Amino acid sequence: MHMLAGRKILLIIGGGIAAYKSLDLIRRLRERGASVVPVLTKGGAEFVTPLSVAALAGGKLYRDLFDLGDEAEMGHIQLSRAADLIVVAPATADLMSKMANGQANDLATTLLLATDKRVLIAPAMNVRMWEHAATKRNAKKLKQDGILFVGPDKGDMACGEYGPGRMAEPLAIVAAVEDALLNGPLKSRHILVTSGPTHEPIDPVRYIANRSSGAQGSAIANALAALGAKVTFVTGPARAKMPTGCTIVPVETADEMLAAVHDALPADAAVFAAAVADWKVTSASDKKIKKTKSAKLPILEFAENSDILRTISNMGKDRPQLVVGFAAETDDVLENATAKRKRKGCDWIVANDVSPETGIMGGVENDVTLITSDAAENWPRMSKDAVAHRLAEKIADTLGQDK
Ligand code: CTP
């Protein structure tokens, strides 16, 4: 029943009589575990009230591009990308025309132009309008642009005519949403993601850790799952919210992480976003070290942890087809990360500068360079969610080519 658990849908309600069905659509999507962020166009608000939309969605309703309060809270770019899928229901002839031509003169069309997510539209209009050459042209263009369609259905219309143009029923739209989200380009792919810090015990109550929040790893797992991948998420004790729709394997130490990674294989791709502790304490005590017991201060002895990324990159038979590592650097980022890619034997390295002044470690943004065997792509500074989506798309493209 909760097929859409954790999925975020941005629902744009256009101005057509079918807008009343979108109220039911919100309920049906939420029943399946999705969260719905509604955007009501001016025309849409002529057919359904903002109050009923907001009440059914159980959250904030967005209406106007120039509502400064909303811009401060969440810019339109971010709003257009925070969702896993954008649904336009009803999609009027006018909205379709604007989309086909790349217009952005209100909130809905701006979001549609700014998004990096897939868009599913449920057209609804009079039969003549649907069959008009202009609408046909627009529909063709939209399909070429990768826009997904559900409906329209044939039947009696509110205007008294009969034919194709009726908006698809809410349950048919839900089925199309499920199909778009669960049958994405990474469908039937298994991808392993490591994330978070590891804790290396000193004694039963103390440990050595690092500042990783796990935010980038969680975002990557979410983005891969949104493209339909089956994700195994092996995570150390992280502060970030766990991803949804993934198999979560919690671990504590680097040794446990390595074992969990081996257990999770085979996988088509593996993304090693964890900040694994380089050393473990070999002198760890099974009892709490008491300060009174000895006059001397404790001395910790360390051994190197196994390098999980390197082990998997060089494993031969069961090696995932694509292995992606991260390089957290504070100096000579590009040079160090390029050398790290070779040393570890992975296919790609996502390099980032974690110097304290960048605010990246523990922050919401990231500034990365993707290093592959033949190029170093510098991505503009963007949210960790956006980095995750771009990386997931790139992984989908690469695995897709090799299938
Ligand atoms: N990594 C790993 N296992 C380890 C250490 C690191 O899998 N024991 C992975 C990380 O998940 C990351 C990559 O290796 O994908 C690079 O981590 P980083 O800490 O930048 O590199 P180190 O190997 O620790 O190298 P250095 O200390 O020289 O920076």
Side-chain angles (χ1 to χ4, degrees):
M1 193 60 183
H2 289 92
M3 293 272 284
L4 296 174
R7 306 304 176 117
K8 288 196 208 95
I9 314 282
L10 186 80
L11 174 66
I12 295 175
I13 303 176
I17 181 68
Y20 79 90
K21 290 200 221 169
S22 302
L23 297 178
D24 189 36
L25 174 62
I26 297 176
R27 278 191 40 218
R28 304 290 183 184
L29 289 169
R30 292 191 66 203
E31 267 169 19
R32 283 159 182 76
S35 59
V36 178
V37 176
V39 174
L40 188 59
T41 64
K42 234 184 181 153
E46 299 288 332
F47 293 92
V48 289
T49 70
L51 193 63
S52 41
V53 174
L56 284 166
K60 189 162 172 47
L61 165 75
Y62 292 84
R63 298 184 65 181
D64 197 343
L65 183 57
F66 300 104
D67 185 337
L68 288 177
D70 293 345
E71 280 294 303
E73 207 176 285
M74 188 189 259
H76 59 273
I77 302 289
Q78 208 186 330
L79 183 60
S80 75
R81 295 181 186 173
D84 296 313
L85 182 74
I86 299 194
V87 177
V88 186
T92 59
D94 178 59
L95 254 175
M96 283 177 60
S97 161
K98 286 179 173 154
M99 286 173 74
N101 290 294
Q103 282 191 40
N105 53 3
D106 62 6
L107 179 60
T109 49
T110 305
L111 294 173
L112 287 161
L113 199 62
T115 191
D116 57 355
K117 297 298 151 42
R118 279 173 310 151
V119 176
L120 170 73
I121 69 172
M125 65 198 74
N126 166 275
V127 54
R128 294 262 171 213
M129 291 169 81
W130 175 250
E131 285 175 347
H132 196 284
T135 307
K136 280 192 178 152
R137 255 192 325 270
N138 290 332
K140 193 170 163 202
K141 266 200 225 167
L142 291 171
K143 283 182 185 157
Q144 280 166 355
D145 288 348
I147 304 291
L148 307 168
F149 279 63
V150 50
D153 292 346
K154 219 184 220 172
D156 288 324
M157 313 194 73
C159 53
E161 293 185 33
Y162 178 89
R166 259 166 68 130
M167 186 168 89
E169 292 305 318
L171 285 178
I173 300 177
V174 168
V177 166
E178 284 174 352
D179 193 52
L181 286 173
L182 309 173
N183 293 329
L186 286 173
K187 184 188 175 214
S188 76
R189 298 294 195 172
H190 176 215
I191 304 189
L192 168 73
V193 177
T194 70
S195 181
T198 62
H199 284 182
E200 305 299 328
I202 296 170
D203 70 14
V205 298
R206 303 181 179 94
Y207 58 83
I208 292 177
N210 61 62
R211 293 186 199 281
S212 163
S213 65
Q216 188 63 82
S218 279
I220 291 169
N222 275 328
L224 292 166
L227 294 185
K230 181 174 166 286
V231 178
T232 303
F233 185 70
V234 178
T235 176
R239 268 181 292 132
K241 224 174 136 205
M242 287 294 114
T244 43
C246 304
T247 303
I248 295 177
V249 185
V251 297
E252 203 170 304
T253 64
D255 284 340
E256 288 170 13
M257 189 173 271
L258 178 64
V261 162
H262 273 298
D263 285 350
L265 292 176
D268 295 292
V271 181
F272 292 92
V276 186
D278 287 321
W279 305 286
K280 63 183 159 201
V281 181
T282 45
S283 55
S285 157
D286 354 321
K287 297 206 174 72
K288 186 181 170 199
I289 305 171
K290 304 291 271 182
K291 65 175 182 288
T292 47
K293 275 237 169 104
S294 99
K296 281 201 281 175
L297 292 173
I299 293 174
L300 301 180
E301 280 169 24
F302 292 91
E304 210 169 303
N305 273 325
S306 339
D307 188 323
I308 306 171
L309 172 62
R310 187 138 131 197
T311 309
I312 302 305
S313 294
N314 293 291
M315 71 186 295
K317 187 174 141 276
D318 268 342
R319 183 193 194 274
Q321 187 183 325
L322 181 68
V323 178
V324 184
F326 272 69
E329 307 288 343
T330 53
D331 308 280
D332 303 322
V333 179
L334 200 60
E335 201 178 315
N336 281 330
T338 307
K340 198 171 273 181
R341 193 188 78 83
K342 290 230 175 78
R343 197 165 68 239
K344 305 257 188 180
C346 57
D347 302 297
W348 300 349
I349 280 270
V350 181
N352 53 6
D353 186 344
V354 291
S355 313
E357 65 275 14
T358 64
I360 283 173
M361 209 146 190
V364 292
E365 284 192 328
N366 210 346
D367 192 345
V368 312
T369 302
L370 180 72
I371 299 167
T372 61
S373 60
D374 51 9
E377 267 178 38
N378 186 226
W379 294 0
R381 192 176 169 116
M382 54 179 108
S383 70
K384 288 183 176 172
D385 277 345
V387 167
H389 283 291
R390 191 153 162 179
L391 187 66
E393 293 282 351
K394 206 160 166 106
I395 291 173
D397 284 352
T398 304
L399 292 182
Q401 279 165 15
D402 297 343
K403 208 174 182 181

